[in-house]
Amino acid sequence: EPEVTQTPSHQVTQMGQEVILRCVPISNHLYFYWYRQILGQKVEFLVSFYNNEISEKSEIFDDQFSVERPDGSNFTLKIRSTKLEDSAMYFCASRRDLTEAFFGQGTRLTVV
Amino acid sequence: AQKVTQAQTEISVVEKEDVTLDCVYETRDTTYYLFWYKQPPSGELVFLIRRNSFDEQNEISGRYSWNFQKSTSSFNFTITASQVVDSAVYFCALTSGNTPLVFGKGTRLSVIA
C-alpha cells in the first residue's frame, strides 16, 4: 500500500542551525502539507502546496520556513535558523483529492 | 473559520468496555468532510474514517462505529469491546475540501487490561 515517507525520523540540531525535513508523498497525490505537533498538543497546520506553489499558510509559517518540491517526488520543509520553540514532531501529508489526507510517520525535531 | 472541539481530554476504560469519543465541529460551508485519526504511542497519524456532509448515514466497521448528526454538528466515534491496542490519542478533523484539515485537540484513550 502506498504511503508517505519522511526522513529523518529524528533530527537533533543546535539553535540557529538550518534544518531540512524531507518527505516523499504518495505518487499520484496532488496536494501536499506540513503540520506540526508540539509534544502532547494538537496537530497544527503550517502550509499547503499545490501546483508547485504555496496555496495557504498559517501564522506559524513565517519567514524562517520555506517549502520546495525540487524534483517532482520530494517535498521539503526548511527551517533557516532554528529556535528552541521549533522543537516538535513535523508531519508531512498528501491528498489525491480534497478528502482525506495521509500522513507520514513524522520527523521529531529537537533543537538544543 | 472552522473549528473542531473534543471536550474529552482523557478517557480511561477497562478492556471490553465500549467507549465513545465526542467531536463537535463548526463550519459555515455546506459541503465538508469529517475524519477520525488515531495516533498510537509510536506517534504516527493513522486515518480511520471519513464522513461527507451530504451523507448522514451512520455506519459500523468492525469494532468501530460513528454517529454523524448535522443538527447538533457532532461526529462521535465509538469503539465496541475495547482492547489494549486501542490505547492512543484520537483526533477528529474537518475540511471543506479546498481547505487544510483542522484538528481537534485530541482525546487520549487508555484501555486497561
Side-chain angles (χ1 to χ4, degrees), chain B residues 20-50:
Chain B
T20 295
L21 309 180
D22 298 334
C23 173
V24 173
Y25 63 92
E26 294 175 31
T27 180
R28 292 196 182 118
D29 297 302
T30 53
T31 298
Y32 51 90
Y33 304 86
L34 293 157
F35 310 90
W36 279 96
Y37 284 84
K38 175 182 179 181
Q39 187 175 43
S42 48
E44 71 271 26
L45 282 166
V46 180
F47 165 72
L48 295 177
I49 56 171
R50 177 189 79 194

Side-chain angles (χ1 to χ4, degrees), chain A residues 63-83:
Chain A
D63 291 344
Q64 295 295 315
F65 293 89
S66 62
V67 290
E68 251 189 344
R69 189 159 157 79
D71 56 12
S73 61
N74 291 286
F75 180 48
T76 62
L77 174 69
K78 182 192 290 186
I79 309 175
R80 288 191 185 81
S81 178
T82 49
K83 303 187 280 284

Side-chain angles (χ1 to χ4, degrees), chain A residues 35 37 98-101 105, chain B residues 35 37 39 43-44 50 97 101:
Chain A
Y35 284 80
Q37 185 183 32
L98 298 176
T99 55
E100 64 266 23
Q105 303 273 67
Chain B
F35 310 90
Y37 284 84
Q39 187 175 43
E44 71 271 26
R50 177 189 79 194
L101 270 66

Side-chain angles (χ1 to χ4, degrees), chain A residues 29-89:
Chain A
H29 284 193
L30 302 175
Y31 303 87
F32 312 112
Y33 304 85
W34 284 100
Y35 284 80
R36 179 180 84 175
Q37 185 183 32
I38 294 172
L39 187 64
Q41 299 187 22
K42 69 187 293 185
V43 180
E44 300 175 293
F45 166 70
L46 291 178
V47 65
S48 56
F49 195 85
Y50 170 71
N51 202 24
N52 286 319
E53 61 182 22
I54 290 174
S55 48
E56 191 169 342
K57 58 184 180 180
S58 72
E59 293 175 351
I60 303 169
F61 194 87
D62 61 21
D63 291 344
Q64 295 295 315
F65 293 89
S66 62
V67 290
E68 251 189 344
R69 189 159 157 79
D71 56 12
S73 61
N74 291 286
F75 180 48
T76 62
L77 174 69
K78 182 192 290 186
I79 309 175
R80 288 191 185 81
S81 178
T82 49
K83 303 187 280 284
L84 292 176
E85 54 264 39
D86 294 327
S87 294
M89 181 77 95

Side-chain angles (χ1 to χ4, degrees), chain B residues 58-98:
Chain B
N58 295 311
E59 290 187 18
I60 298 173
S61 175
R63 295 188 299 110
Y64 296 160
S65 62
W66 43 97
N67 186 349
F68 174 37
Q69 294 198 348
K70 286 176 81 168
S71 60
T72 56
S73 298
S74 64
F75 183 50
N76 298 336
F77 177 62
T78 298
I79 303 173
T80 303
S82 59
Q83 301 174 1
V84 172
V85 293
D86 295 326
S87 296
V89 180
Y90 290 82
F91 290 96
C92 181
L94 165 70
T95 178
S96 299
N98 61 351

